Amino acid sequence: MGLLFSGADWDFQTLGAIHRACEDIAVGEFGLQTYPNQIEVITSEQMLDAYSSNGLPLMYRHWSFGKHFARDEAMYRRGFQGLAYEIVINSSPCIAYVMEENTATLQTLVIAHACFGHNHFFRNNYLFRQWTDAEAILGYLQYAKSYVTECEERHGTAAVERILDAAHALRHQGIHRYPKRRWRLGEEAERALARRTHAEATYDPLMRTVPGYAAARTEPEARRQVEEEARARLRLPEENLLYFCEKHSPRLAEWERELVRIVRLLAQYFYPQIQTKVANEGCATFCHYEILTRLHERGQISNGSLLEFLHSHSSVIMQPQLGDQRFSGWNPYALGFAIMKDIQRVCLDPDQEDRDWFPAFAGNGDPWATLRDVWANYRDEGLIRQFLGPKVMRAFRMVHLADRSAETTYRVNEIHDADGYRRIASLLAEQYDPAHIAPMIDVADVDLFGNRSLKLVHESQRGIRLDADMARKTLLCAETLWGYRVHLQERDAESGRVLAEHASS
Amino acid sequence: MVIVDRRANPQGKSLANRERFLKRVREDVKRAVSDTIARRRISDVDSTEEVRVRVDGTEEPRFATTSEGEHDYILPGPGTLNRGDTLPKPQGGGGEGNGRRAGRGRGEDPFEFVLTREEFLNYFFDELELPHLLRTSLSQDRMSKPRRAGYSVYGQPSALDVRRTMRNSYARRIALGRPTDAELAELRARIEAAVSDAERAAAQAALDEAMRRRIRIAYVDPIDVRYARHVRQPQPATEAAMFCLMDVSGSMTEHMKDLAKRFFMLLHLFLSRRYDRVHVVFIRHTERAAEVDEDTFFRSRETGGTLVSSALDVMLEVQQQRFPPDRYNLYVAQVSDGDNDGGDRARVTSLMQNQILPMVRYFAYVETSADRSAFPHAAIRRKTELWDTYEQVAAATADLNRLAMRRVSDGAGVWAALADLFAKSGRAAA
């Protein structure tokens, strides 16, 4: 087969040919299943634009996006930070942004990485299937943008910003972690309309003034019963703070509720991505590596292109180690790629150690089927717990550092040897548990008969505490949404002992 | 698979967000702009040098954890660590409250970003409460007018010069012998009128030949086409000289000097829009006057009495040496707190009336006083000596209408001092 391109230049025909060649390999040989692709060529400024709005092509207006843009731009202009080669959006068709500055080889890398790697992951991983509605996200963003604009025109930018600021602060507490039903973003706009027209009819236990309540004020027994009932209706405790405010806040106007809902649904949309960084990037990196290697074997890219690709690839999967100036935690590309590559090796060429660790698939001879299964059914936490093998731990020379606030130094508790493997794998998996990504904060109670204050609880695991100053500021945001005071209690998860109390005012 | 080229999409999608963000950090931006104004020379007020704004008050709060409690990290090690080894914690890591670390909830790092030139000027004008109409006319780039400059063989369709094109076409058609409609009609008539077959065949052959020529030689060929050519020509501009006169006797406070500087900057900005080059001359005076450089002008302080005529003398001297009025547009801006020696009045009046005002384009006198917002009761003031003098001069030279006087106590007043000048230029243009 002839070369797809020679030199660095490309045009749209070249992109089309590259895409066809990659598709041939990815779908034909590797069995990947993808949404249709849409490749969009953009400039570096547009890439910065996309950065600042969480990589989404259209977003409602808010100053924080302007801030991120200003910061990213400053970093980029001064050369502190390069731009990504691509951004890919979990939608159908799957939109991949590629930069016009990329060379033809880089475009090949990007197409293999985004249009097939990420795309396959988006389409097949259970979290994305459960939580995101790829067909409808673009439509929903359009709706959100025009709704926010409409609110700004009607109620003023300041009023809208007040709600959006508050909701943004709580967006990590605006997530349903356990699905009740499959998400249908497509119907959101209609549902919003229906909700608004039924607003008056909605039953709100906080605002209720029925005869029984008068008796409840004086008789403790009746009061307890009424409170029980109300609590049951509020479905307390509730893990999703934004949802709770949106549904039950006594002070929010209908349009404000809708704004909260928009922020909440977008946070929910990103929730799977937060949980699958390693798996997703590992999948995409592995795919681009395999696809480009195959392209070279088939004589479709030159030796020079292969070297250029390997150069980019190795900088993408560079993992600085502890003590290195560049070290800033795990590089999900490096970790993910290493795990995927290890699974492939175990499938094809296992040794005794691999057979002991991975009896289920060692030597099964079909790495692609195994990997497709991994990509479909695991998030980071599960991926690491089950598929992080000793060879990868040794390759990264993983160590376990214990940080105890009582001690003045970090201590090395485990290293990558036979005694440490299990514990290292399980602790690293915990690091990717959603509970570690953002603190878990539940709505515990509402003072129904008193000052209507909201009570939140942070179950503190192993003495990990909230930053008091930030907590107070965030509670102030919660108060904006709830309308009354908000308390936050930090409790030790095991003993139930109260560690700290925070209040919004 | 679809490939879309988005590069031509409208740029600046995030401008609306940026605007909102700038509003958020208004205080930081204002401080940066003030700093920049203090640092910049008068003639650099709209230079392209970057204005960096350092922002730290835009935290987006969220629940974050501290380093307290038991944390476990699995990290890629250097390969030399063993069980029981210890590593020092990073500085500030163990403390209460501010102990945030990489990867965990951390506070926002302050960062810097760069204001565009328009944004900078906008804030600069904002401080001066300059009306929007003036802002736009000031922040526009140099004025130039398109001017006819002959013809060109390429250009926009709208600039097509039909007359010239058709003239070329006509000449070419004649030169190449393109058969005209009349000639064809004549040939057709000959065919009609032919009496013998041979005659008809000859006429038919001539007609066929003529038709071939007509097809080969276009009626309007691309080489005929001419476009009107325009060049953008800068507005006729000469040079201007701007004299900054300031009283530096002890009674001028820092606040007054700041007002003075803003006033001079604004005047310079205005002049540099109208003239190619603006020369700035700084003259400060107490009882004696001297030409100085900009730093000395704004920084140093002198003690002594006040003789305004000394400054006027120096100004005239410099003007006679370097700025002949037929080549330069002369502008004078004087800032003073209004003190002057009583015995100096006659001399000032005569210099102004007989020499200066007939020669200059504009003489702006700005009288500064203490910040009135700080001393609301100081609103009622008596007329100062210099004010009184100039008032009489202005009355005597009312036909020239070149002397503008203002009292300024805050930034908002500064532009008003120039309002007359703008009004005047508006009339001149009309």
Side-chain angles (χ1 to χ4, degrees):
Chain A
M1 262 178 267
L3 289 180
L4 291 167
F5 52 85
S6 60
D9 294 335
W10 51 271
D11 55 21
F12 284 25
Q13 271 87 34
T14 322
L15 285 189
I18 292 171
H19 183 271
R20 271 192 303 281
C22 290
E23 188 171 31
D24 199 31
I25 295 170
V27 178
E29 295 186 17
F30 300 161
L32 301 186
Q33 296 164 318
T34 57
Y35 294 119
N37 276 308
Q38 179 167 328
I39 299 171
E40 304 200 347
V41 182
I42 60 172
T43 62
S44 57
E45 192 196 320
Q46 286 168 325
M47 181 59 98
L48 279 167
D49 261 340
Y51 263 38
S52 59
S53 51
N54 297 330
L56 293 175
L58 60 160
M59 194 65 170
Y60 55 84
R61 287 173 179 172
H62 189 256
W63 63 268
S64 64
F65 306 133
K67 172 179 132 182
H68 293 146
F69 184 85
R71 189 175 52 195
D72 290 340
E73 192 186 29
M75 299 279 277
Y76 175 60
R77 299 258 179 269
R78 297 161 91 181
F80 289 157
Q81 176 184 312
L83 288 181
Y85 302 136
E86 45 79 29
I87 281 186
V88 57
I89 293 161
N90 168 26
S91 64
S92 176
C94 179
I95 298 176
Y97 292 125
V98 302
M99 289 238 283
E100 61 171 350
E101 285 96 334
N102 293 352
T103 63
T105 307
L106 272 180
Q107 300 295 28
T108 316
L109 169 68
V110 162
I111 288 173
H113 183 90
C115 301
F116 294 97
H118 283 308
N119 192 343
H120 172 83
F121 197 85
F122 287 150
R123 176 148 181 191
N124 293 283
N125 187 265
Y126 78 106
L127 278 175
F128 287 89
R129 293 168 71 95
Q130 194 152 43
W131 283 117
T132 63
D133 191 348
E135 270 84 20
I137 181 65
L138 294 179
Y140 185 70
L141 287 171
Q142 184 66 57
Y143 159 76
K145 188 176 180 201
S146 56
Y147 189 84
V148 172
T149 311
E150 196 188 306
C151 287
E152 284 182 344
E153 280 164 11
R154 193 168 299 170
H155 308 283
T157 318
V160 172
E161 250 179 27
R162 180 173 157 269
I163 298 298
L164 286 182
D165 285 356
H168 279 187
L170 299 172
R171 70 177 133 193
H172 295 289
Q173 279 71 40
I175 290 161
H176 287 297
R177 296 197 172 76
Y178 308 101
K180 293 177 186 105
R181 59 183 160 75
R182 192 167 184 284
W183 220 244
R184 287 265 174 243
L185 272 183
E187 302 148 18
E188 261 306 311
E190 295 149 43
R191 267 214 299 269
L193 193 67
R195 256 198 319 277
R196 261 174 285 162
T197 51
H198 278 81
E200 278 75 42
T202 341
Y203 173 70
D204 190 336
L206 281 177
M207 288 309 204
R208 181 138 163 146
T209 48
V210 290
Y213 274 55
R217 287 192 174 280
T218 46
E219 295 163 39
E221 184 54 29
R223 174 177 174 151
R224 200 187 53 75
Q225 201 181 342
V226 172
E227 272 187 358
E228 273 312 88
E229 271 173 36
R231 230 164 246 136
R233 271 190 226 101
L234 289 172
R235 297 214 185 86
L236 288 170
E238 167 66 53
E239 57 164 3
N240 190 333
L241 180 53
L242 277 187
Y243 175 80
F244 190 81
C245 288
E246 175 199 324
K247 290 296 172 214
H248 303 298
S249 165
R251 283 277 188 89
L252 288 186
E254 274 315 303
W255 62 272
E256 293 173 321
R257 281 178 218 278
E258 186 60 27
L259 289 181
V260 173
R261 188 176 176 83
I262 286 171
V263 174
R264 179 169 73 80
L265 293 190
L266 289 180
Q268 191 79 57
Y269 172 79
F270 282 114
Y271 189 53
Q273 313 213 355
I274 296 169
Q275 293 180 79
T276 55
K277 273 189 194 138
V278 174
N280 200 347
E281 293 302 352
C283 165
T285 311
F286 183 79
C287 285
H288 82 224
Y289 182 80
E290 294 295 319
I291 291 174
L292 269 92
T293 311
R294 277 297 293 145
L295 281 176
H296 182 249
E297 281 169 12
R298 287 161 46 143
Q300 287 179 298
I301 57 172
S302 65
N303 290 337
S305 290
L306 185 78
L307 283 177
E308 188 193 341
F309 150 67
L310 285 174
H311 177 72
S312 302
H313 174 75
S314 46
S315 25
V316 164
I317 61 164
M318 213 267 295
Q319 173 66 62
Q321 63 194 22
L322 191 63
D324 192 313
Q325 267 194 336
R326 294 163 295 179
F327 177 75
S328 63
W330 282 102
N331 172 357
Y333 295 83
L335 186 57
F337 182 71
I339 293 175
M340 302 309 163
K341 208 67 191 149
D342 194 50
I343 293 175
Q344 184 193 35
R345 189 190 51 76
V346 171
C347 289
L348 294 175
D349 182 24
D351 57 19
Q352 194 49 47
E353 186 187 36
D354 297 321
R355 286 182 198 284
D356 294 342
W357 267 77
F358 302 116
F361 63 94
N364 70 3
D366 191 353
W368 281 99
T370 315
L371 283 168
R372 283 199 304 267
D373 176 62
V374 170
W375 295 334
N377 296 315
Y378 293 88
R379 58 177 183 172
D380 289 350
E381 185 251 337
L383 174 80
I384 290 167
R385 202 178 288 283
Q386 303 213 18
F387 297 96
L388 179 65
K391 288 202 171 53
V392 178
M393 292 188 233
R394 285 200 296 272
F396 285 112
R397 299 185 287 232
M398 291 187 189
V399 294
H400 166 212
L401 277 194
D403 174 12
R404 306 286 177 262
S405 48
E407 293 168 23
T408 53
T409 53
Y410 298 129
R411 204 175 57 248
V412 178
N413 268 2
E414 296 289 351
I415 59 169
H416 47 89
D417 61 8
D419 297 331
Y421 291 145
R422 292 286 170 196
R423 188 146 162 73
I424 281 182
S426 114
L427 281 173
L428 186 60
E430 267 174 38
Q431 229 165 291
Y432 285 92
D433 193 294
H436 273 248
I437 299 170
M440 299 276 214
I441 287 162
D442 288 345
V443 181
D445 202 1
V446 182
D447 188 349
L448 289 171
F449 289 93
N451 55 13
R452 288 180 177 163
S453 64
L454 189 65
K455 287 200 182 95
L456 308 180
V457 167
H458 172 230
E459 297 272 347
S460 163
Q461 307 271 357
R462 311 173 62 204
I464 293 175
R465 299 273 300 279
L466 293 180
D467 183 312
D469 185 43
M470 289 283 263
R472 199 185 45 77
K473 286 179 188 155
T474 316
L475 287 176
L476 217 55
C477 293
E479 186 180 304
T480 304
L481 297 184
W482 178 247
Y484 299 92
R485 277 185 75 169
V486 183
H487 296 272
L488 171 65
Q489 199 175 58
E490 286 194 72
R491 275 204 301 246
D492 188 71
E494 277 159 39
S495 65
R497 196 163 55 85
V498 175
L499 299 173
E501 299 261 11
H502 309 280
S504 57
S505 51
Chain B
M1 195 255 327
V2 187
I3 301 178
V4 189
D5 189 354
R6 292 270 182 227
R7 285 171 294 181
N9 275 21
Q11 304 285 307
K13 223 165 79 174
S14 61
L15 271 185
N17 290 332
R18 184 180 171 91
E19 215 171 81
R20 272 150 224 245
F21 170 58
L22 283 181
K23 223 155 97 192
R24 255 298 139 138
V25 294
R26 204 184 152 76
E27 289 312 310
D28 291 321
V29 175
K30 271 167 100 169
R31 202 179 319 125
V33 167
S34 299
D35 289 352
T36 312
I37 290 173
R39 204 177 55 237
R40 278 188 184 177
R41 316 200 137 253
I42 283 183
S43 45
D44 291 345
V45 66
D46 64 337
S47 75
T48 46
E49 185 212 338
E50 290 179 343
V51 183
R52 293 185 179 282
V53 183
R54 196 178 163 79
V55 176
D56 31 36
T58 54
E59 189 170 64
E60 293 170 78
R62 63 198 164 92
F63 290 117
T65 52
T66 60
S67 61
E68 210 169 314
E70 298 179 10
H71 296 272
D72 293 290
Y73 306 107
I74 302 295
L75 299 169
T80 53
L81 294 174
N82 223 323
R83 281 194 183 75
D85 287 354
T86 55
L87 290 175
K89 288 190 184 183
Q91 288 299 307
E96 178 93 35
N98 57 1
R100 300 162 188 155
R101 84 188 60 231
R104 310 243 95 218
R106 58 151 54 183
E108 287 280 338
D109 289 330
F111 69 98
E112 272 185 0
F113 67 98
V114 176
L115 284 185
T116 63
R117 184 176 154 277
E118 279 70 29
E119 283 165 344
F120 169 73
L121 284 180
N122 210 6
Y123 273 87
F124 175 75
F125 295 148
D126 216 33
E127 294 273 284
L128 300 174
E129 303 195 11
L130 203 60
H132 277 281
L133 202 65
L134 292 180
R135 280 182 202 193
T136 43
S137 73
L138 272 182
S139 48
Q140 260 167 13
D141 279 323
R142 178 193 306 288
M143 298 289 286
S144 64
K145 265 191 180 161
R147 171 169 288 225
R148 286 292 304 270
Y151 299 95
S152 154
V153 290
Y154 53 86
Q156 292 173 338
S158 59
L160 181 73
D161 191 299
V162 179
R163 187 190 289 245
R164 181 57 69 112
T165 302
M166 293 318 290
R167 195 197 290 171
N168 285 345
S169 149
Y170 189 49
R172 183 180 50 81
R173 274 180 281 139
I174 292 172
L176 296 181
R178 187 179 194 269
T180 60
D181 288 348
E183 282 165 11
L184 288 180
E186 195 193 313
L187 284 172
R188 287 206 183 87
R190 263 173 61 196
I191 296 174
E192 292 292 315
V195 285
S196 70
D197 280 353
E199 199 179 335
R200 180 175 299 117
Q204 184 65 47
L207 179 64
D208 290 348
E209 172 60 25
M211 288 302 284
R212 272 202 301 280
R213 276 192 88 76
R214 240 174 107 91
I215 290 167
R216 273 205 304 276
I217 303 167
Y219 188 78
V220 177
D221 197 83
I223 62 167
D224 304 332
V225 179
R226 291 293 179 276
Y227 298 91
R229 183 160 163 266
H230 293 98
V231 289
R232 296 199 73 83
Q233 199 174 48
Q235 295 274 60
T238 49
E239 298 178 50
M242 166 177 159
F243 295 91
C244 302
L245 273 51
M246 187 160 71
D247 178 3
V248 289
S249 60
S251 49
M252 287 286 282
T253 63
E254 279 305 307
H255 172 72
M256 291 173 177
K257 281 188 183 171
D258 179 61
L259 285 180
K261 184 162 188 184
R262 279 167 189 270
F263 175 72
F264 291 140
M265 274 184 158
L266 197 57
L267 182 65
H268 185 274
L269 197 58
F270 175 73
L271 294 180
S272 58
R273 295 289 149 198
R274 286 174 50 109
Y275 302 108
D276 260 355
R277 288 190 63 196
V278 180
H279 304 266
V280 189
V281 178
F282 297 99
I283 297 167
R284 59 169 194 176
H285 71 93
T286 53
E287 59 198 15
R288 273 165 314 160
E291 187 188 351
V292 293
D293 62 25
E294 186 174 340
D295 278 337
T296 326
F297 189 67
F298 285 109
R299 299 265 160 77
S300 79
R301 225 174 216 212
E302 298 234 323
T303 49
T306 311
L307 273 182
V308 173
S309 62
S310 65
L312 299 180
D313 281 336
V314 172
M315 189 215 118
L316 282 171
E317 197 179 303
V318 172
Q319 181 267 322
Q320 273 153 19
Q321 279 168 11
R322 307 208 301 255
F323 303 108
D326 54 334
R327 280 187 46 212
Y328 293 92
N329 296 287
L330 302 175
Y331 289 81
V332 187
Q334 185 181 11
V335 176
S336 163
D337 57 2
D339 288 345
N340 195 18
D341 193 285
D344 196 30
R345 177 185 276 238
R347 192 164 156 65
V348 169
T349 313
S350 120
L351 280 172
M352 287 292 282
Q353 248 166 272
N354 302 327
Q355 296 196 43
I356 296 176
L357 284 181
M359 181 172 63
V360 301
R361 299 288 298 259
Y362 188 69
F363 191 110
Y365 171 59
V366 172
E367 192 167 294
T368 54
S369 55
D371 191 348
R372 206 186 310 176
S373 55
F375 307 102
H377 303 297
I380 307 157
R381 289 166 301 182
R382 60 172 188 84
K383 259 183 206 170
T384 60
E385 167 67 24
L386 194 54
W387 185 271
D388 198 37
T389 313
Y390 279 177
E391 218 166 39
Q392 284 173 16
V393 172
T397 58
D399 54 326
L400 287 171
N401 191 22
R402 282 175 185 164
L403 177 60
M405 302 162 60
R406 288 280 165 171
R407 286 202 181 95
V408 171
S409 59
D410 54 17
V414 169
W415 89 261
L418 280 175
D420 299 343
L421 177 56
F422 293 124
K424 212 172 164 181
S425 78
R427 271 208 307 281

